[in-house]
Amino acid sequence: HSPFPLLLYSSIPSGEREREREPSGRDKPFAASSFLVGYPESRAAGILSIFSDMGSSLLPDLGTQILIPVCGVIGIAFALFQWVLVSSVKLSPAGGRDAANKNGYNDSLIEEEEGVNDHSVVAKCAEIQNAISEGSTSFLFTMYKYVGIFMVAFAVLIFVFLGSVDGFSTSHQVCTYDATKMCKPALATAAFSTISFLLGAVTSVVSGFLGMKIATYANARTTLEARKGVGKAFIVAFRSGAVMGFLLAANGLVVLYITINLFKLYYGDDWGGLFEAITGYGLGGSSMALFGRVGGGIYTKAADVGADLVGKVERNIPEDDPRNPAVIADNVGDNVGDIAGMGSDLFGSYAEASCAALVVASISSFGINHEFTAMLYPLIISAVGIVVCLITTLFATDFFEIKAVKEIEPALKRQLIISTVLMTVGIAVVSWIALPASFTIFNFGTQKDVANWQLFLCVAVGLWAGLIIGFVTEYYTSNAYSPVQDVADSCRTGAATNVIFGLALGYKSVIIPIFAIAVSIFVSFSFAAMYGIAVAALGMLSTIATGLAIDAYGPISDNAGGIAEMAGMSHRIRERTDALDAAGNTTAAIGKGFAIGSAALVSLALFGAFVSRASITTVDVLTPKVFIGLIVGAMLPYWFSAMTMKSVGSAALKMVEEVRRQFNTIPGLMEGTAKPDYATCVKISTDASIKEMIPPGALVMLTPLVVGIFFGVETLSGVLAGSLVSGVQLSMLDLFLTWVLHLCTRQIAISASNTGGAWDNAKKYIEAGASEHARSLGPKGSDPHKAAVIGDTIGDPLKDTSGPSLNILIKLMAVESLVFAPFFATHGGLLFKL
């Protein structure tokens, strides 16, 4: 009952076999036994030659073996080069004016113009950066210690479950694609799946950690460069983000490529078993991303709430004021949540999309005919994406120079457009040289004829859908457009109408992104079934290096502003860092919309790979087994969100109490003559986030196992479908509602002051007091200022904790189900067997 004989039968030319037809005229599915009876072993042995008649790719296998690792090495080398450029900004008193002139800058420093000692400012920035870096490193090491225990335990679980599929037999088994050959035992798949899981987990951890280190390395340097102009600071922040983006994209590609080649030494011609084992790579990456996102999100929002509610609302002190005990923890949170968490999240998406595409391809003509270049088409797309993103980065750092604040946001958006256009050309070239003119793709027990131009359209539609989702997100979250302006107008009559308009806009904002995802799914599935959806997801992720560079730029700029405030630097420098941060806020919304869209496609591709591997030909929602899974799966994102929101609330409560205690008990703290206990606040966020991340993480990891073991693969397929639909909608809604909430409070300030300035927070605008309009809204502690702070406090946990984590929920459950599919298919459904 394996689908492989069906695949082989459908590939035989029509003149060499007799077709059976339904009354409708369509071909009947041909049974495996009919295939074996009608075609003896000699005929089965000649099947591969039939596939070769379909054509071959222009790019030879040797070219593929060179292209993929070379592009990966280029990405790593470019990241290191950007790091060297960032390092030229010296974080020491010697890095003052003399060093600047040696680097070719003749700009006078603001501190020197205003009589501030440059040496003391640089030393203070270095001290603050070290504190942030130490806090971030301490948290990640603590989290990785606990996650490491889980990683080892889950690896053992993978081996035991998959090894038991065939009773831990070490005997070779008949190959599903060729009855004349013997393939590797199921125990080998268990062992290699475990190894690939560990490799994916380690790569995810390294990706997040490296991203955090470069962010903490660059934040003070961005602050110091702001003394010379906003353009110099922009380049440092963006180059630092590019280091993270290219390291993650290149490391993920190189490790996956090396893993495939090493596994191939053992598996040989058994490509089906090889790529089944590779699926553990995606599971490992997503498992670590879940804990990184949830733990980092809880950490950053606990610190944020404590710093804002007590510092701004109760004590009327500025954001990032050094007197606030939670200010270091707040800046640490930006790195462990928005940098390390986002890096692990997008690495997980890349790994899962690649694994889903490879699994489906291995049971298509690519895998049966052992076409190495065509088989690694998903990796070639990612390799070319690195080169495209490298060229795109030069437009922001070398080809054009930022000279004014108003040029920052267009420069970041231009990165998205340029990378998408160039990548479209790259995909076309890759599809032409790496794919045969025609081939077959596995489609739920049958084979679908596909042309290479159709697969190009699948990747391209995913790529452009990502761009559309990003800019629609910006449209609904930027105060430059009418939707948010309408919400701002509703604020005139009070909070009630504000909430009503905000909810309406939040619900409406989901429509266009969902249609974009739906169109990309329809087009890609029509052309190339589930493989088309998998490569569409890879198309959306093909410019991951640029996307991560833009996303990491935001927290780096945010930290730069905090360091400027804590170091007592000029308000003119803070204005420049705030302008950088404001542009980063806009592009952060685009990045989150992009992550949600890619998560939807990746999850659906994994779902398709799961039902194929579990030998499910149809998922009928009218059957009780599937329907109960559907409604339970739709409930899971809400359960998960409730747990993460409560976790943020519990951690924030402890932080608020500690900040209040220090203000009340430390003499001279408010006067600035005493230093707060930053370490205690960092420890509170660390301990609370580690403790609170376990229950939601357990919910996600255990659900597929419990459902698969006790209810079987059909119910599990319903759970995956329900969580996919519900999770995508809810995560988008969280994103839009929280940004509307942010922007409404910002719009009160901006419209009242009639400045129409940068897209910034009302509380920052009021606190800065940079214009008569801004001062008219003050002073600090006024009702508009407190309303803005409270609005941020309510919205942040949705936007930065539960919303982003939902992306991982729907992806992780799908890839976990894919890895354990053989076990569920063999031993699952215990309750229905009683």
Side-chain angles (χ1 to χ4, degrees):
H1 295 86
S2 168
F4 292 95
L6 303 178
L7 180 156
L8 295 174
Y9 176 79
S10 63
S11 69
I12 299 172
S14 58
E16 299 189 28
R17 63 180 170 94
E18 180 182 351
R19 293 181 182 266
E20 291 185 287
R21 296 189 178 271
E22 304 258 5
S24 62
R26 294 179 300 176
D27 289 348
K28 280 187 179 181
F30 202 78
S33 58
S34 299
F35 167 74
L36 294 175
V37 171
Y39 292 89
E41 292 184 0
S42 60
R43 183 64 178 127
I47 290 297
L48 297 182
S49 63
I50 295 174
F51 275 101
S52 64
D53 292 339
M54 302 181 68
S56 59
S57 59
L58 297 177
L59 181 66
D61 290 352
L62 179 61
T64 303
Q65 294 277 20
I66 296 173
L67 175 65
I68 295 176
V70 165
C71 288
V73 171
I74 288 174
I76 295 173
F78 184 73
L80 295 177
F81 177 67
Q82 297 297 302
W83 179 78
V84 170
L85 294 177
V86 172
S87 300
S88 65
V89 181
K90 302 301 180 183
L91 195 59
S92 63
R97 186 168 186 173
D98 292 338
N101 287 334
K102 290 179 182 178
N103 289 329
Y105 300 137
N106 295 314
D107 309 83
S108 60
L109 303 180
I110 291 177
E111 282 85 357
E112 294 175 351
E113 295 174 2
E114 301 184 0
V116 179
N117 187 315
D118 177 55
H119 291 268
S120 63
V121 168
V122 177
K124 186 65 175 176
C125 287
E127 178 186 350
I128 297 168
Q129 176 178 292
N130 287 337
I132 295 173
S133 180
E134 289 175 4
S136 301
T137 303
S138 174
F139 167 74
L140 287 183
F141 273 126
T142 303
M143 183 180 71
Y144 291 154
K145 180 175 65 176
Y146 288 96
V147 169
I149 298 173
F150 155 80
M151 184 172 65
V152 173
F154 204 79
V156 173
L157 192 69
I158 292 173
F159 179 77
V160 171
F161 275 33
L162 294 186
S164 66
V165 170
D166 199 24
F168 296 97
S169 172
T170 58
S171 301
H172 285 56
Q173 54 188 348
V174 177
C175 292
T176 51
Y177 66 86
D178 189 347
T180 65
K181 294 182 179 180
M182 300 298 291
C183 288
K184 305 303 180 184
L187 188 62
T189 300
F192 282 96
S193 294
T194 303
I195 295 172
S196 61
F197 167 79
L198 293 173
L199 286 172
V202 171
T203 307
S204 178
V205 166
V206 170
S207 298
F209 184 78
L210 289 177
M212 182 277 298
K213 292 302 289 184
I214 185 59
T216 56
Y217 182 83
N219 48 23
R221 288 172 168 79
T222 302
T223 306
L224 294 177
E225 286 296 274
R227 300 174 302 169
K228 305 169 188 172
V230 69
K232 301 292 191 297
F234 170 83
I235 289 176
V236 171
F238 189 81
R239 279 177 171 162
S240 303
V243 174
M244 174 189 176
F246 281 92
L247 279 180
L248 185 146
N251 285 339
L253 175 66
V254 170
V255 173
L256 182 57
Y257 175 77
I258 293 175
T259 302
I260 291 173
N261 278 275
L262 290 178
F263 283 16
K264 194 170 179 291
L265 296 177
Y266 172 79
Y267 277 98
D269 290 340
D270 184 12
W271 283 19
L274 165 62
F275 291 103
E276 282 183 12
I278 289 295
T279 57
Y281 187 75
L283 177 59
S286 239
S287 299
M288 299 303 104
L290 173 67
F291 292 106
R293 264 300 195 187
V294 174
I298 294 171
Y299 185 109
T300 183
K301 292 305 113 182
D304 202 3
V305 169
D308 287 355
L309 286 184
V310 181
K312 298 174 186 175
V313 177
E314 297 181 7
R315 297 289 174 167
N316 299 327
I317 60 177
E319 183 177 7
D320 297 317
D321 192 295
R323 294 172 292 176
N324 194 324
V327 67
I328 294 294
D330 189 10
N331 283 277
V332 169
D334 290 336
N335 294 288
V336 299
D338 294 336
I339 298 288
M342 172 62 83
S344 295
D345 184 3
L346 287 183
F347 166 77
S349 292
Y350 161 75
E352 290 159 338
S354 300
C355 290
L358 292 170
V359 167
V360 177
S362 69
I363 54 178
S364 302
S365 62
F366 298 154
I368 301 301
N369 200 32
H370 296 90
E371 297 177 358
F372 186 77
T373 296
M375 186 71 207
L376 295 191
Y377 175 72
L379 272 63
I380 297 175
I381 292 174
S382 301
V384 173
I386 291 175
V387 177
V388 166
C389 291
L390 189 155
I391 298 171
T392 304
T393 300
L394 300 179
F395 283 90
T397 59
D398 296 272
F399 296 161
F400 297 98
E401 182 181 358
I402 301 295
K403 297 181 179 179
V405 168
K406 64 181 180 180
E407 298 176 0
I408 299 174
E409 189 173 325
L412 293 173
K413 293 180 183 177
R414 193 161 55 236
Q415 287 286 295
L416 297 174
I417 297 173
I418 293 173
S419 63
T420 301
V421 172
L422 293 179
M423 192 61 203
T424 304
V425 178
I427 294 168
V429 174
V430 166
S431 300
W432 177 53
I433 66 172
L435 295 173
S438 64
F439 44 88
T440 61
I441 293 296
F442 180 74
N443 182 26
F444 297 103
T446 62
Q447 283 294 299
K448 184 179 182 64
D449 293 327
V450 180
N452 55 9
W453 63 267
Q454 291 176 310
L455 211 54
F456 156 72
L457 290 179
C458 293
V459 183
V461 75
L463 175 67
W464 283 92
L467 185 68
I468 292 171
I469 292 172
F471 280 105
V472 169
T473 305
E474 191 244 350
Y475 173 75
Y476 277 104
T477 56
S478 173
N479 59 23
Y481 305 107
S482 60
V484 174
Q485 292 173 2
D486 292 340
V487 176
D489 290 337
S490 71
C491 295
R492 299 174 182 174
T493 53
T497 51
N498 171 23
V499 171
I500 293 171
F501 271 69
L503 285 172
L505 179 55
Y507 295 140
K508 184 179 179 181
S509 63
V510 177
I511 297 173
I512 297 178
I514 291 298
F515 272 117
I517 294 173
V519 169
S520 61
I521 290 173
F522 178 80
V523 172
S524 55
F525 186 85
S526 298
F527 283 148
M530 281 299 178
Y531 186 76
I533 294 175
V535 295
L538 280 170
M540 195 175 288
L541 294 166
S542 60
T543 55
I544 188 174
T546 294
L548 274 171
I550 294 173
D551 203 83
Y553 157 89
I556 292 171
S557 300
D558 191 8
N559 268 195
I563 291 173
E565 180 74 31
M566 286 184 280
M569 299 177 76
S570 166
H571 72 280
R572 293 169 61 189
I573 293 180
R574 186 60 199 256
E575 288 174 1
R576 291 175 178 177
T577 57
D578 284 349
L580 296 172
D581 186 24
N585 285 336
T586 303
T587 54
I590 295 175
K592 286 182 172 63
F594 173 87
I596 293 169
S598 64
L601 291 178
V602 168
S603 301
L604 185 56
L606 290 168
F607 177 75
F610 163 72
V611 296
S612 299
R613 193 175 180 189
S615 300
I616 300 174
T617 55
T618 59
V619 179
D620 188 355
V621 297
L622 297 180
T623 59
K625 290 182 181 180
V626 176
F627 189 77
I628 61 174
L630 197 66
I631 58 176
V632 170
M635 172 272 298
L636 284 175
Y638 292 90
W639 189 0
F640 179 83
S641 295
M643 296 175 75
T644 53
M645 290 293 290
K646 184 179 179 181
S647 297
V648 170
S650 300
L653 178 62
K654 297 176 183 178
M655 182 65 70
V656 169
E657 291 174 347
E658 173 60 22
V659 175
R660 284 175 177 166
R661 184 195 67 79
Q662 292 196 33
F663 274 120
N664 292 331
T665 60
I666 299 179
L669 183 57
M670 276 297 295
E671 293 76 18
T673 58
K675 186 176 180 179
D677 183 6
Y678 298 126
T680 299
C681 290
V682 170
K683 187 176 187 302
I684 287 175
S685 269
T686 300
D687 294 343
S689 58
I690 295 297
K691 177 183 176 182
E692 297 290 343
M693 76 178 183
I694 295 175
L699 173 67
V700 177
M701 297 299 295
L702 293 179
T703 295
L705 294 178
V706 172
V707 174
I709 292 172
F710 292 102
F711 297 93
V713 292
E714 292 181 336
T715 304
L716 183 54
S717 66
V719 170
L720 297 180
S723 64
L724 168 60
V725 174
S726 175
V728 171
Q729 308 277 357
L730 184 58
S731 57
M732 282 190 172
L733 193 57
D734 279 354
L735 169 65
F736 286 116
L737 286 178
T738 51
W739 277 101
V740 166
L741 185 57
H742 282 336
L743 288 168
C744 184
T745 55
R746 294 170 185 166
Q747 275 297 102
I748 295 173
I750 294 173
S751 60
S753 63
N754 198 28
T755 60
W759 187 42
D760 199 13
N761 197 301
K763 63 180 183 295
K764 291 181 180 178
Y765 186 79
I766 296 170
E767 290 165 357
S771 66
E772 290 296 328
H773 298 122
R775 287 190 286 272
S776 68
L777 293 168
K780 297 180 182 71
S782 64
D783 288 340
H785 177 244
K786 291 181 178 180
V789 173
I790 292 171
D792 271 338
T793 303
I794 295 171
D796 276 345
L798 288 172
K799 178 173 66 69
D800 292 328
T801 305
S802 64
S805 300
L806 283 173
N807 299 337
I808 305 176
L809 177 146
I810 59 178
K811 294 182 298 182
L812 179 54
M813 290 206 307
V815 72
E816 184 179 342
S817 301
L818 174 60
V819 170
F820 287 102
F823 176 80
F824 296 150
T826 305
H827 301 297
L830 294 180
L831 291 181
F832 294 124
K833 294 178 181 178
L834 296 178

